[in-house]
Amino acid sequence: MGKSSPPNVVKAYAQQFRKDLTNFLSMRSKEIIPQGRMVLTFTARKNPNPSNEDYGLELVAISLLDLVAQGVVKEADVDSFNLPLYAPCKEEVAEIVEREGSFEIEELRVFKVDVNCLNRDEQLRNTDLGFNINMQMGKNYANAMRAVLEPMICSHFGDAIIDELFIRFAENAANPPKNSMHQSKVNIVVSMAKK
């Protein structure tokens, strides 16, 4: 699901997420004693409209297309590649938990994820030493995305492209016209108790 995804794709991903989370909750309810607790966290979106947000996946697409232009990856392989990721909003999560019925939400929070992994002192020190802060932030962002996406990318393209792909990703992330680092990302944390 990305900003450029057609509505029917977003709808299909939303339906699959609803089905998967419902099944997950149902299975966990069989394992947890009454009043037992469970905490979940996952990538989310800020509002019910998914078309306004960037989840960093556009940078993956741009970076893959860079590799196509270099002849490293076949365009047909990129065209057939889909990431099975869905970022729900808090209202969706609450509705699914309530409808499934096994758990009661004790707390559901959306929190901003700081993709700028450099603290203020590191930024000042790196600037004094002549480092490009955007490039370091791009590398950090690329490493975070790689931790999540590498297994899916390797299973489709093989592991030979992974280093070059995320070098490209870091470069694209550091490039202000292309990057999405400065758009705030959010995660959901939901604490539940079994009824």
Side-chain angles (χ1 to χ4, degrees):
M1 185 179 84
K3 288 194 303 189
S4 60
S5 297
N8 63 331
V9 170
V10 174
K11 183 179 178 182
Y13 273 68
Q15 289 172 340
Q16 188 65 50
F17 177 79
R18 178 180 308 280
K19 179 181 173 186
D20 291 344
L21 184 57
T22 299
N23 288 339
F24 176 83
L25 293 171
S26 176
M27 298 294 221
R28 296 301 72 80
S29 73
K30 295 173 184 171
E31 299 170 345
I32 298 174
I33 63 171
Q35 299 306 307
R37 307 284 195 263
M38 178 169 58
V39 176
L40 302 176
T41 184
F42 37 87
T43 300
R45 64 178 191 271
K46 293 171 260 192
N47 61 62
N49 183 355
S51 65
N52 295 334
E53 297 184 42
D54 181 355
Y55 310 99
L57 302 179
E58 301 294 330
L59 282 175
V60 173
I62 290 167
S63 301
L64 283 168
L65 292 175
D66 288 348
L67 296 182
V68 168
Q70 291 178 345
V72 175
V73 174
K74 294 177 186 168
E75 188 171 0
D77 288 342
V78 174
D79 290 343
S80 65
F81 181 58
N82 287 301
L83 288 169
L85 302 174
Y86 181 75
C89 64
K90 68 179 182 179
E91 293 84 2
E92 283 177 284
V93 173
E95 188 269 325
I96 293 167
V97 172
E98 289 169 14
R99 181 176 288 174
E100 192 279 331
S102 299
F103 293 89
E104 184 171 340
I105 295 175
E106 294 187 325
E107 192 164 353
L108 190 154
R109 287 196 184 184
V110 176
F111 66 94
K112 185 177 173 184
V113 176
D114 186 3
V115 295
N116 175 4
C117 301
L118 300 176
N119 67 36
R120 188 172 160 265
D121 291 337
E122 289 174 314
Q123 289 178 19
L124 291 173
R125 184 175 60 248
N126 287 341
T127 302
D128 291 343
L129 296 173
F131 290 113
N132 180 332
I133 291 173
N134 278 346
M135 193 59 207
Q136 186 59 50
M137 288 171 51
K139 287 178 184 177
N140 291 347
Y141 190 24
N143 287 338
M145 291 296 283
R146 183 175 182 166
V148 174
L149 302 177
E150 184 171 356
M152 291 177 273
I153 291 170
C154 287
S155 72
H156 187 80
F157 296 99
D159 60 358
I161 71 157
I162 203 73
D163 290 333
E164 183 60 31
L165 175 65
F166 284 100
I167 288 169
R168 282 287 183 189
F169 185 99
E171 291 168 355
N172 288 327
N175 183 351
K178 293 182 182 178
N179 81 36
S180 62
M181 282 190 306
H182 302 294
Q183 295 180 12
S184 63
K185 312 284 190 257
V186 294
N187 278 4
I188 287 176
V189 174
V190 58
S191 172
M192 299 174 273
K194 184 177 175 193
K195 292 181 179 178

